Amino acid sequence: MKTHLFIVLVTLLVVQTPGFSQGNLTPSGPPQPTMKTLDQVQPLSIITNLPYTISQSGSYYLASNLTGQSFQAGITISADDVTIDLMGFTLIGGTNADNGITVSGQRKNLTVKNGKLRKWNRGVNVDGLDGAGILIEKVNAFECTSAGIYITVPGATVKNCGAFNNGFDGITTGDGGQVIDCNVSSNLFRGINVGQGSVVRDCIARFSQFQGISAGSGSTITGCSSSTNGSGISASSYSTVRNCAVFSNRGSGISAQSGNSISDCTVGFNQGQGISVDDGNTITRCTVRKNGYNGIEVYAANIVKENTCDSNSTRTPGYAGIQVSWVGNLIEGNLCNSTTYGLYLSASNNVAIRNSLGYNTTPLGYTLPNFYGNPIKTNDLAARINIVTANPWSNFEFK
């Protein structure tokens, strides 16, 4: 009974509840966009023909390949804060063309990315004494009369770029520049050339007529491969060369002037010296094998430690695993095998200790006075069993 009464009361309440107005359902006008357009988010200007001059800051892009005109630049940048996105397209120069993308005056905050430049004088040209914030990324420059990418202003970054078959350097940057993850090949002069205080990292340089990689003083070169060039890697002074592979170059593998650190490199099959340095350098933990002349050649006041020098002097007999040409060097803990001389001290006042000299025509050649431990001949049965000696600095000779 109570249940039936409750249902009746609820029904009466629902029936007697007044309705509320829903208002005018007719739209006041057509629907309006609620999101910003791409131009509102980042205004973009299209480049449709060459030559083209950019005189205002902003972002510019290509929608097709474009061909330049003789004796004129392709795109000239005359403003700061400019980004050019080539969108995967190519700027094509041709006979007597000027530079593909060039900068007029001292400019800053410029980016060129995502495309190709072909058959210009220079593909990208940023030439000047001042500027900042220059980034060239994912750009390939090839078949240019002069350099592929040429930047002299300090502090520029060239990243994920390529330079092929150009008539001068592949990539050039000024002081304090960075060249990262780049691939250069078959350039007439140098593959990669950077100024003082620069970084070259994870790059490949091949088939250049002169140096694969050349760096000014105070630079760092790491994780690079330089092969089949005139010479492999050339560093001025106070630089670091580390974890590089340098092979099959027509001249020396790695050459450096004074005060450098060269470590953990693999240097082989170069027709000149493996590693050649002047004064005050440190060479450690490198593998130097089958180079044309000396494996490692040093001048004065160098440390050469824990390197493997094997089967060098392949081009001309008479060279050494390690050649010491002047005074004040420390040669310690190296393995020098299968060369005319394992270790040769051609000047006085050097220290050669705890080296292993195996299968060489002459294990240790020297000019008096030098400081060295007389080699223990480990081909002697007694020496093999017991290498204890009164001289803890002895070198080891084995055949």
Side-chain angles (χ1 to χ4, degrees), residues 99 120-123 144-148 150 165-170 187:
N99 302 316
W120 299 92
N121 176 43
R122 293 171 179 164
C144 293
T145 306
S146 183
Y150 184 85
N165 296 296
N166 297 293
F168 195 65
D169 293 343
N187 297 287

Side-chain angles (χ1 to χ4, degrees), residues 77 98-99 101-108 110 121-132 134 136 146-147 149-154 156 172-174:
I77 303 174
D98 201 349
N99 302 316
I101 297 175
T102 193
V103 174
S104 176
Q106 310 298 319
R107 302 298 172 190
K108 61 184 179 181
L110 307 178
N121 176 43
R122 293 171 179 164
V124 175
N125 178 65
V126 187
D127 193 3
L129 300 176
D130 193 16
I134 309 299
I136 313 299
S146 183
I149 297 172
Y150 184 85
I151 304 170
T152 59
V153 300
T172 290
T173 62

Side-chain angles (χ1 to χ4, degrees), residues 298 323-326 343-348 350 365-368 370:
V298 299
Q323 165 74 39
V324 178
S325 298
W326 198 231
L343 169 61
Y344 195 89
L345 310 175
S346 61
S348 61
N350 297 286
Y366 54 87
T367 299
L368 293 175
N370 276 289

Side-chain angles (χ1 to χ4, degrees), residues 52-89:
Y52 188 92
T53 297
I54 296 174
S55 56
Q56 293 184 346
S57 301
S59 296
Y60 297 79
Y61 72 99
L62 267 59
S64 65
N65 297 329
L66 298 178
T67 301
Q69 299 180 17
S70 297
F71 305 105
Q72 296 194 53
I75 299 173
T76 300
I77 303 174
S78 299
D80 296 336
D81 304 305
V82 169
T83 295
I84 301 175
D85 191 340
L86 301 174
M87 301 292 288
F89 294 107

